C-alpha cells in the first residue's frame, strides 16, 4: 500500500511551509506567528490558498504577511524505472 504523501509527491506536490504573521485580535499592535506545513503544488499553491481563505472567513486574527518555502522532494531525475535485474552469487 502506497502512502498518501508519497502518491502526492509523484503527482508533483512538494513540501510547502508557510510562516504566517497575523495581528492579535485583542492587541492589533502585536504580531503572532503561525507555521503551516502541507504538500502543495508550486507556484499556484491551491492548498495554502484554501487554508488562507478559511483563515480570513473563520478566524479573528488579521493576516499581516505570509512567507512561503517550497521543496519538491521527488524530481523526475530521481525516480526511474528499472528495466532488468541481475543477481550474482
Amino acid at each position: 500500500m502506497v502512502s498518501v504523501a508519497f502518491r502526492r509527491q509523484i503527482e508533483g506536490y512538494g513540501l510547502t511551509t508557510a510562516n504566517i504573521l497575523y495581528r492579535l485580535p485583542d492587541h492589533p499592535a502585536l504580531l503572532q506567528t503561525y507555521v503551516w506545513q502541507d504538500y502543495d503544488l508550486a507556484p499556484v499553491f491551491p492548498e495554502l490558498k484554501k487554508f488562507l481563505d478559511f483563515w480570513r472567513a473563520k478566524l479573528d486574527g488579521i493576516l499581516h504577511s505570509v512567507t512561503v518555502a517550497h521543496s519538491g522532494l521527488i524530481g523526475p531525475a530521481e525516480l526511474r524505472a528499472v528495466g532488468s535485474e541481475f543477481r550474482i552469487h
Side-chain angles (χ1 to χ4, degrees):
M1 176 117 182
V2 177
S3 72
V4 175
F6 181 73
R7 193 172 332 148
R8 292 187 93 183
Q9 290 176 44
I10 295 298
E11 293 169 354
Y13 283 73
L15 189 61
T16 303
T17 305
N19 185 25
I20 301 169
L21 284 176
Y22 64 96
R23 298 193 181 278
L24 292 176
D26 296 337
H27 304 284
L30 297 177
L31 293 174
Q32 180 75 20
T33 187
Y34 179 82
V35 177
W36 175 89
Q37 192 172 53
D38 201 355
Y39 290 100
D40 210 350
L41 289 168
V44 181
F45 300 111
E47 301 296 325
L48 177 58
K49 286 182 181 178
K50 191 180 339 178
F51 177 75
L52 293 176
D53 289 342
F54 165 80
W55 184 295
R56 287 185 200 104
K58 303 289 183 184
L59 301 178
D60 292 331
I62 298 171
L63 294 174
H64 177 270
S65 61
V66 178
T67 306
V68 179
H70 177 79
S71 176
L73 300 176
I74 295 179
E78 299 173 37
L79 184 65
R80 60 191 165 122
V82 175
S84 59
E85 180 180 326
F86 299 99
R87 293 186 184 198
I88 300 176
H89 296 289

